[in-house]
Amino acid sequence: MPSSDYDPASLPDLLPLYYRRLFPFSQYYRWLNYGGVQKNYFQNREFSFTLKDDIYVRYQSFSTQNELEKEMQKMNPYKIDIGAVYSHRPNQHNTVKSGTFQALEKELVFDIDMTDYDDVRSCCSAADICSKCWTLMTIAIRILDRALRDDFGFRHLLWVYSGRRGVHCWVCDEAARKLSVAARSAVAEYLSLVKGGEETVRKVVLTDPIHPFIRESLTVVEHYFSQYALQEQNILSNKESIDKVLALVPEDVRKDLLQHFQTEKNPEKRWGRLKALAKNKQAAVKKGQYFEKEIMLQYCYPRLDVNVSKGVNHLLKSPFSVHPKTGRISVPIDLRELETFDPFDVPTISLICEELDRPRKGEEEEEEDETKEKENEKDVAERRKIRDYKRTSLAKYVKYLDQFLDGMARSWKGELLRKSDLQKDF
Ligand SMILES: [Zn+2]
Protein backbone atom coordinates (compact mmCIF):
# COMPACT_ATOMS: atom_id res chain seq x y z
CA MET A 1 0.00 0.00 0.00
CA PRO A 2 1.51 3.32 -1.02
CA SER A 3 2.19 5.86 1.68
CA SER A 4 -0.20 8.22 -0.10
CA ASP A 5 -3.06 6.11 1.26
CA TYR A 6 -2.15 7.33 4.72
CA ASP A 7 -3.54 10.69 5.69
CA PRO A 8 -1.87 12.27 8.75
CA ALA A 9 -5.20 13.90 9.58
CA SER A 10 -6.65 10.44 10.29
CA LEU A 11 -4.10 9.70 13.01
CA PRO A 12 -6.29 10.86 15.96
CA ASP A 13 -8.97 8.39 14.82
CA LEU A 14 -6.61 5.50 14.18
CA LEU A 15 -4.39 5.68 17.28
CA PRO A 16 -7.12 4.62 19.77
CA LEU A 17 -7.81 1.56 17.63
CA TYR A 18 -4.10 0.82 17.32
CA TYR A 19 -3.45 0.96 21.07
CA ARG A 20 -6.67 -0.85 21.94
CA ARG A 21 -6.42 -3.74 19.52
CA LEU A 22 -3.05 -3.92 17.79
CA PHE A 23 -0.07 -2.69 19.79
CA PRO A 24 1.87 -5.79 20.97
CA PHE A 25 1.85 -4.95 24.68
CA SER A 26 2.72 -8.40 25.96
CA GLN A 27 5.86 -8.71 23.78
CA TYR A 28 6.76 -5.13 24.57
CA TYR A 29 6.54 -5.72 28.30
CA ARG A 30 8.35 -9.01 27.97
CA TRP A 31 11.21 -7.23 26.23
CA LEU A 32 11.62 -4.33 28.66
CA ASN A 33 11.11 -6.50 31.73
CA TYR A 34 14.16 -8.62 30.72
CA GLY A 35 12.87 -11.71 32.47
CA GLY A 36 12.36 -9.86 35.74
CA VAL A 37 16.00 -10.59 36.54
CA GLN A 38 16.63 -7.16 38.04
CA LYS A 39 14.18 -5.65 40.50
CA ASN A 40 12.19 -2.66 39.23
CA TYR A 41 13.85 -2.77 35.83
CA PHE A 42 10.60 -2.12 33.99
CA GLN A 43 9.18 0.12 36.71
CA ASN A 44 12.18 2.48 36.67
CA ARG A 45 12.27 2.83 32.89
CA GLU A 46 11.53 6.17 31.36
CA PHE A 47 9.03 6.46 28.55
CA SER A 48 8.22 9.73 26.92
CA PHE A 49 5.19 10.48 24.81
CA THR A 50 4.68 12.99 22.08
CA LEU A 51 1.02 13.90 22.08
CA LYS A 52 -1.14 15.82 19.64
CA ASP A 53 0.20 19.29 18.75
CA ASP A 54 3.75 18.25 19.67
CA ILE A 55 3.08 18.21 23.38
CA TYR A 56 6.02 16.35 24.82
CA VAL A 57 5.70 14.46 28.10
CA ARG A 58 8.88 13.09 29.65
CA TYR A 59 9.44 10.85 32.66
CA GLN A 60 6.48 8.54 32.24
CA SER A 61 6.85 5.22 34.03
CA PHE A 62 4.61 2.28 34.75
CA SER A 63 4.39 -0.36 37.48
CA THR A 64 2.90 -3.12 35.37
CA GLN A 65 2.08 -4.08 31.82
CA ASN A 66 -1.52 -3.34 32.60
CA GLU A 67 -0.73 0.18 33.76
CA LEU A 68 1.31 0.80 30.60
CA GLU A 69 -1.59 -0.41 28.47
CA LYS A 70 -4.18 1.69 30.26
CA GLU A 71 -2.04 4.80 30.07
CA MET A 72 -1.16 4.39 26.38
CA GLN A 73 -4.85 3.78 25.63
CA LYS A 74 -5.73 6.94 27.53
CA MET A 75 -3.00 9.19 26.10
CA ASN A 76 -2.85 7.72 22.55
CA PRO A 77 0.69 9.02 21.95
CA TYR A 78 1.65 10.12 18.43
CA LYS A 79 5.15 8.94 19.19
CA ILE A 80 6.73 6.88 21.98
CA ASP A 81 10.36 7.21 23.03
CA ILE A 82 12.24 4.90 25.36
CA GLY A 83 14.78 6.29 27.81
CA ALA A 84 16.98 4.89 30.52
CA VAL A 85 16.36 2.73 33.57
CA TYR A 86 16.72 5.17 36.48
CA SER A 87 17.57 4.87 40.15
CA HIS A 88 13.97 5.73 41.01
CA ARG A 89 10.64 5.69 39.28
CA PRO A 90 10.83 8.40 36.62
CA ASN A 91 7.28 9.59 37.32
CA GLN A 92 8.39 10.34 40.89
CA HIS A 93 11.65 12.07 39.93
CA ASN A 94 10.48 15.33 41.49
CA THR A 95 9.94 13.74 44.87
CA VAL A 96 13.46 12.30 45.35
CA LYS A 97 16.31 14.26 46.85
CA SER A 98 18.01 16.34 44.17
CA GLY A 99 21.06 14.68 42.67
CA THR A 100 19.94 11.17 43.57
CA PHE A 101 17.75 10.61 40.52
CA GLN A 102 20.14 9.09 38.01
CA ALA A 103 20.08 7.20 34.73
CA LEU A 104 21.69 3.82 35.47
CA GLU A 105 21.27 1.57 32.47
CA LYS A 106 20.04 1.47 28.92
CA GLU A 107 20.44 -0.62 25.81
CA LEU A 108 23.39 0.48 23.70
CA VAL A 109 21.66 2.16 20.78
CA PHE A 110 22.60 3.31 17.30
CA ASP A 111 20.74 5.72 15.09
CA ILE A 112 21.44 5.94 11.38
CA ASP A 113 19.57 8.55 9.40
CA MET A 114 19.57 8.86 5.62
CA THR A 115 19.81 12.67 5.76
CA ASP A 116 23.40 12.28 6.96
CA TYR A 117 24.28 10.84 3.54
CA ASP A 118 22.99 13.77 1.51
CA ASP A 119 26.45 14.66 0.14
CA VAL A 120 26.92 11.16 -1.29
CA ARG A 121 23.51 10.22 -2.68
CA SER A 122 22.17 11.67 -5.90
CA CYS A 123 18.76 9.99 -6.03
CA CYS A 124 17.09 11.84 -3.13
CA SER A 125 17.78 14.41 -0.46
CA ALA A 126 16.59 15.38 3.03
CA ALA A 127 13.73 13.22 4.31
CA ASP A 128 13.20 11.43 1.01
CA ILE A 129 14.35 7.87 0.48
CA CYS A 130 14.02 5.40 -2.38
CA SER A 131 14.95 1.81 -3.02
CA LYS A 132 18.32 2.93 -4.46
CA CYS A 133 19.60 4.78 -1.41
CA TRP A 134 18.04 2.25 0.97
CA THR A 135 21.09 0.12 0.08
CA LEU A 136 23.03 2.48 2.36
CA MET A 137 20.95 1.25 5.31
CA THR A 138 21.48 -2.36 4.26
CA ILE A 139 25.24 -1.76 4.19
CA ALA A 140 25.13 0.03 7.56
CA ILE A 141 23.29 -2.85 9.18
CA ARG A 142 25.65 -5.47 7.68
CA ILE A 143 28.76 -3.61 8.85
CA LEU A 144 27.59 -2.70 12.34
CA ASP A 145 25.88 -5.99 13.04
CA ARG A 146 29.05 -7.88 12.18
CA ALA A 147 31.26 -5.59 14.27
CA LEU A 148 28.98 -5.60 17.30
CA ARG A 149 28.81 -9.38 17.26
CA ASP A 150 32.34 -10.35 16.22
CA ASP A 151 34.41 -7.51 17.64
CA PHE A 152 32.41 -6.79 20.81
CA GLY A 153 30.73 -10.14 21.46
CA PHE A 154 27.16 -8.84 21.67
CA ARG A 155 24.43 -11.26 20.68
CA HIS A 156 21.04 -9.65 21.13
CA LEU A 157 20.76 -6.95 18.51
CA LEU A 158 17.32 -5.67 17.62
CA TRP A 159 17.36 -3.72 14.35
CA VAL A 160 14.35 -1.50 13.82
CA TYR A 161 13.10 0.56 10.88
CA SER A 162 12.46 4.07 12.15
CA GLY A 163 9.29 4.49 10.11
CA ARG A 164 10.70 7.04 7.72
CA ARG A 165 14.30 7.39 6.62
CA GLY A 166 16.56 5.39 8.88
CA VAL A 167 17.23 2.49 11.18
CA HIS A 168 17.93 2.00 14.86
CA CYS A 169 19.80 -0.74 16.63
CA TRP A 170 19.06 -1.77 20.21
CA VAL A 171 21.85 -3.87 21.68
CA CYS A 172 20.03 -5.66 24.49
CA ASP A 173 22.75 -7.83 26.05
CA GLU A 174 23.09 -7.31 29.77
CA ALA A 175 26.72 -6.20 29.32
CA ALA A 176 25.61 -3.58 26.79
CA ARG A 177 22.87 -2.24 29.04
CA LYS A 178 25.36 -1.74 31.85
CA LEU A 179 27.95 0.18 29.80
CA SER A 180 29.13 3.52 31.19
CA VAL A 181 28.98 6.72 29.16
CA ALA A 182 32.75 6.46 28.58
CA ALA A 183 32.48 2.89 27.32
CA ARG A 184 29.56 3.77 25.02
CA SER A 185 31.61 6.65 23.61
CA ALA A 186 34.52 4.30 23.00
CA VAL A 187 32.32 1.85 21.09
CA ALA A 188 30.76 4.68 19.06
CA GLU A 189 34.18 6.14 18.24
CA TYR A 190 35.55 2.73 17.23
CA LEU A 191 32.66 2.39 14.79
CA SER A 192 32.94 5.93 13.37
CA LEU A 193 35.04 6.33 10.23
CA VAL A 194 33.43 9.19 8.34
CA LYS A 195 34.52 12.39 10.04
CA GLY A 196 33.96 16.09 9.48
CA GLY A 197 31.09 18.26 8.34
CA GLU A 198 30.15 19.88 5.08
CA GLU A 199 33.44 21.76 4.73
CA THR A 200 35.50 18.58 4.99
CA VAL A 201 36.19 17.19 1.53
CA ARG A 202 38.08 14.06 2.48
CA LYS A 203 36.01 12.53 5.27
CA VAL A 204 37.78 9.16 5.51
CA VAL A 205 41.53 9.03 6.02
CA LEU A 206 43.14 5.60 6.23
CA THR A 207 46.58 5.00 7.67
CA ASP A 208 48.95 2.05 7.68
CA PRO A 209 48.27 -0.65 8.64
CA ILE A 210 44.59 -0.81 7.88
CA HIS A 211 42.75 -1.96 10.99
CA PRO A 212 41.13 -5.43 10.65
CA PHE A 213 37.76 -3.86 11.46
CA ILE A 214 38.11 -1.56 8.45
CA ARG A 215 39.13 -4.48 6.24
CA GLU A 216 36.01 -6.39 7.32
CA SER A 217 33.88 -3.31 6.65
CA LEU A 218 35.43 -2.91 3.19
CA THR A 219 34.50 -6.49 2.37
CA VAL A 220 30.87 -5.58 3.01
CA VAL A 221 31.08 -2.37 0.96
CA GLU A 222 32.76 -4.20 -1.94
CA HIS A 223 29.79 -6.51 -2.16
CA TYR A 224 27.42 -3.61 -2.91
CA PHE A 225 29.69 -0.95 -4.41
CA SER A 226 29.48 -1.64 -8.13
CA GLN A 227 25.72 -1.99 -8.34
CA TYR A 228 24.96 0.71 -5.80
CA ALA A 229 27.56 3.43 -6.38
CA LEU A 230 28.60 2.93 -10.01
CA GLN A 231 25.29 1.80 -11.54
CA GLU A 232 22.61 3.40 -9.38
CA GLN A 233 24.21 6.53 -7.93
CA ASN A 234 26.32 7.10 -11.08
CA ILE A 235 29.24 8.46 -9.10
CA LEU A 236 31.49 8.20 -12.17
CA SER A 237 28.96 9.11 -14.83
CA ASN A 238 28.34 12.85 -14.81
CA LYS A 239 30.69 15.78 -14.41
CA GLU A 240 29.46 17.01 -11.06
CA SER A 241 29.73 13.64 -9.35
CA ILE A 242 33.03 12.83 -11.08
CA ASP A 243 34.49 16.08 -9.71
CA LYS A 244 33.41 15.05 -6.22
CA VAL A 245 35.16 11.69 -6.52
CA LEU A 246 38.29 13.18 -8.08
CA ALA A 247 38.60 15.65 -5.22
CA LEU A 248 39.51 12.61 -3.11
CA VAL A 249 42.50 11.39 -5.16
CA PRO A 250 46.08 12.72 -5.48
CA GLU A 251 46.75 15.41 -8.11
CA ASP A 252 48.60 13.22 -10.64
CA VAL A 253 45.93 10.52 -10.43
CA ARG A 254 43.25 13.13 -11.03
CA LYS A 255 44.98 14.30 -14.20
CA ASP A 256 45.37 10.78 -15.51
CA LEU A 257 41.75 9.93 -14.83
CA LEU A 258 40.35 13.08 -16.43
CA GLN A 259 42.18 12.23 -19.60
CA HIS A 260 41.18 8.57 -19.47
CA PHE A 261 37.52 9.44 -18.90
CA GLN A 262 37.42 11.45 -22.14
CA THR A 263 37.37 8.23 -24.12
CA GLU A 264 36.24 5.69 -21.53
CA LYS A 265 32.55 6.10 -20.68
CA ASN A 266 31.83 2.83 -18.89
CA PRO A 267 31.63 3.50 -15.12
CA GLU A 268 32.94 0.02 -14.24
CA LYS A 269 36.00 0.53 -16.43
CA ARG A 270 36.51 4.02 -15.09
CA TRP A 271 36.50 2.62 -11.56
CA GLY A 272 38.86 -0.13 -12.73
CA ARG A 273 41.33 2.51 -13.91
CA LEU A 274 41.09 4.35 -10.58
CA LYS A 275 41.75 1.10 -8.70
CA ALA A 276 44.70 0.26 -10.92
CA LEU A 277 46.25 3.67 -10.28
CA ALA A 278 45.80 3.18 -6.53
CA LYS A 279 47.58 -0.16 -6.80
CA ASN A 280 50.49 1.39 -8.70
CA LYS A 281 50.82 4.07 -6.08
CA GLN A 282 50.78 1.54 -3.29
CA ALA A 283 53.63 -0.33 -4.92
CA ALA A 284 55.65 2.82 -5.58
CA VAL A 285 55.27 4.70 -2.31
CA LYS A 286 55.90 3.34 1.15
CA LYS A 287 53.26 5.42 2.85
CA GLY A 288 49.69 4.18 2.56
CA GLN A 289 47.83 5.24 -0.57
CA TYR A 290 44.34 4.02 0.00
CA PHE A 291 42.30 6.56 -1.89
CA GLU A 292 40.12 3.96 -3.61
CA LYS A 293 39.25 2.43 -0.23
CA GLU A 294 38.65 5.89 1.24
CA ILE A 295 36.25 6.70 -1.58
CA MET A 296 34.31 3.47 -1.03
CA LEU A 297 34.02 4.19 2.67
CA GLN A 298 33.15 7.85 2.24
CA TYR A 299 30.31 6.89 -0.08
CA CYS A 300 29.02 3.80 1.72
CA TYR A 301 30.25 3.46 5.30
CA PRO A 302 27.54 3.91 7.99
CA ARG A 303 27.21 7.45 9.32
CA LEU A 304 26.33 7.28 12.97
CA ASP A 305 24.74 9.91 15.14
CA VAL A 306 27.28 9.25 17.91
CA ASN A 307 25.53 11.46 20.46
CA VAL A 308 22.58 9.08 20.48
CA SER A 309 24.91 6.17 21.28
CA LYS A 310 26.98 7.94 23.90
CA GLY A 311 24.37 9.05 26.41
CA VAL A 312 22.73 6.65 28.85
CA ASN A 313 19.78 9.03 29.25
CA HIS A 314 19.32 9.71 25.53
CA LEU A 315 15.83 8.89 24.32
CA LEU A 316 15.19 6.90 21.16
CA LYS A 317 11.98 6.26 19.29
CA SER A 318 10.39 3.03 20.42
CA PRO A 319 9.77 0.00 18.22
CA PHE A 320 6.08 -0.22 17.26
CA SER A 321 5.69 3.52 17.62
CA VAL A 322 3.95 5.10 14.61
CA HIS A 323 5.73 7.61 12.43
CA PRO A 324 3.24 10.50 12.38
CA LYS A 325 4.40 11.77 8.96
CA THR A 326 4.36 8.50 7.03
CA GLY A 327 1.99 6.51 9.24
CA ARG A 328 4.43 3.59 9.09
CA ILE A 329 4.95 1.43 12.12
CA SER A 330 8.49 1.28 13.45
CA VAL A 331 9.01 -2.44 12.94
CA PRO A 332 11.88 -4.78 13.80
CA ILE A 333 13.90 -5.98 10.81
CA ASP A 334 14.61 -9.69 10.47
CA LEU A 335 18.19 -9.79 9.18
CA ARG A 336 17.54 -13.12 7.48
CA GLU A 337 15.39 -11.05 5.10
CA LEU A 338 17.49 -7.91 5.06
CA GLU A 339 18.28 -7.98 1.33
CA THR A 340 14.60 -7.92 0.46
CA PHE A 341 13.48 -5.56 3.23
CA ASP A 342 11.58 -2.72 1.58
CA PRO A 343 10.67 0.28 3.74
CA PHE A 344 7.77 0.98 1.40
CA ASP A 345 6.32 -2.44 2.26
CA VAL A 346 6.21 -1.65 5.96
CA PRO A 347 2.56 -1.40 7.00
CA THR A 348 1.00 1.93 7.83
CA ILE A 349 -1.39 2.38 10.74
CA SER A 350 -4.21 2.99 8.25
CA LEU A 351 -3.51 -0.30 6.49
CA ILE A 352 -3.49 -2.45 9.63
CA CYS A 353 -6.58 -0.74 11.02
CA GLU A 354 -8.33 -1.37 7.73
CA GLU A 355 -7.22 -5.01 7.77
CA LEU A 356 -9.02 -5.39 11.11
CA ASP A 357 -12.31 -4.46 9.49
CA ARG A 358 -12.00 -6.96 6.68
CA PRO A 359 -14.44 -9.79 7.26
CA ARG A 360 -12.90 -13.19 7.62
CA LYS A 361 -14.42 -16.55 6.83
CA GLY A 362 -16.00 -18.19 9.86
CA GLU A 363 -15.48 -15.17 12.02
CA GLU A 364 -19.13 -14.57 12.89
CA GLU A 365 -19.55 -18.02 14.40
CA GLU A 366 -16.37 -17.64 16.33
CA GLU A 367 -17.54 -14.43 17.95
CA GLU A 368 -20.90 -15.94 18.82
CA ASP A 369 -19.14 -18.80 20.60
CA GLU A 370 -17.23 -16.30 22.60
CA THR A 371 -20.37 -14.65 23.88
CA LYS A 372 -21.78 -18.00 24.85
CA GLU A 373 -18.69 -18.96 26.75
CA LYS A 374 -19.29 -16.11 29.19
CA GLU A 375 -15.64 -15.85 30.04
CA ASN A 376 -14.60 -12.89 32.07
CA GLU A 377 -14.23 -9.82 29.92
CA LYS A 378 -10.50 -9.47 30.29
CA ASP A 379 -9.82 -12.97 28.97
CA VAL A 380 -11.93 -12.34 25.91
CA ALA A 381 -10.24 -8.99 25.32
CA GLU A 382 -6.83 -10.54 25.79
CA ARG A 383 -7.54 -13.40 23.39
CA ARG A 384 -9.04 -11.06 20.84
CA LYS A 385 -5.98 -8.83 20.96
CA ILE A 386 -3.77 -11.79 20.20
CA ARG A 387 -5.87 -12.70 17.22
CA ASP A 388 -6.28 -9.08 16.14
CA TYR A 389 -2.69 -8.31 15.26
CA LYS A 390 -2.37 -11.75 13.70
CA ARG A 391 -5.03 -10.77 11.21
CA THR A 392 -2.92 -7.85 9.97
CA SER A 393 0.36 -7.19 8.20
CA LEU A 394 1.83 -6.45 11.62
CA ALA A 395 1.84 -10.16 12.44
CA LYS A 396 5.20 -11.10 10.96
CA TYR A 397 6.98 -8.29 12.78
CA VAL A 398 5.48 -9.22 16.13
CA LYS A 399 6.40 -12.82 15.44
CA TYR A 400 9.96 -11.77 14.78
CA LEU A 401 10.07 -9.85 18.07
CA ASP A 402 8.81 -13.00 19.78
CA GLN A 403 11.70 -14.96 18.28
CA PHE A 404 14.16 -12.30 19.35
CA LEU A 405 12.81 -12.44 22.91
CA ASP A 406 12.95 -16.22 22.90
CA GLY A 407 16.62 -15.90 22.00
CA MET A 408 17.28 -13.67 24.97
CA ALA A 409 15.32 -15.92 27.31
CA ARG A 410 17.32 -18.93 26.16
CA SER A 411 20.57 -17.20 26.83
CA TRP A 412 19.49 -16.20 30.36
CA LYS A 413 18.73 -19.78 31.15
CA GLY A 414 22.01 -20.94 29.74
CA GLU A 415 20.04 -23.09 27.38
CA LEU A 416 21.98 -22.03 24.34
CA LEU A 417 25.07 -23.67 25.72
CA ARG A 418 23.19 -26.83 26.65
CA LYS A 419 21.60 -27.00 23.22
CA SER A 420 24.86 -26.54 21.37
CA ASP A 421 26.29 -29.40 23.43
CA LEU A 422 23.30 -31.54 22.52
CA GLN A 423 23.69 -30.70 18.86
CA LYS A 424 27.27 -31.89 18.92
CA ASP A 425 26.00 -35.35 19.90
CA PHE A 426 24.00 -35.66 16.71
ZN1 LIG B 1 17.11 7.64 -2.97
Side-chain angles (χ1 to χ4, degrees), residues 121 123-124 128-130 132-133 233:
R121 56 181 185 143
C123 50
C124 321
D128 292 333
I129 61 164
C130 70
K132 287 180 186 170
C133 49
Q233 297 292 338

Side-chain angles (χ1 to χ4, degrees), residues 13-43:
D13 296 329
L14 298 174
L15 285 171
L17 191 59
Y18 179 61
Y19 290 121
R20 196 157 42 84
R21 293 179 61 187
L22 291 166
F23 191 92
F25 285 107
S26 74
Q27 287 84 358
Y28 196 70
Y29 176 79
R30 189 184 168 207
W31 169 32
L32 295 169
N33 193 45
Y34 285 100
V37 176
Q38 267 175 274
K39 205 168 157 260
N40 290 331
Y41 210 72
F42 179 80
Q43 289 74 9

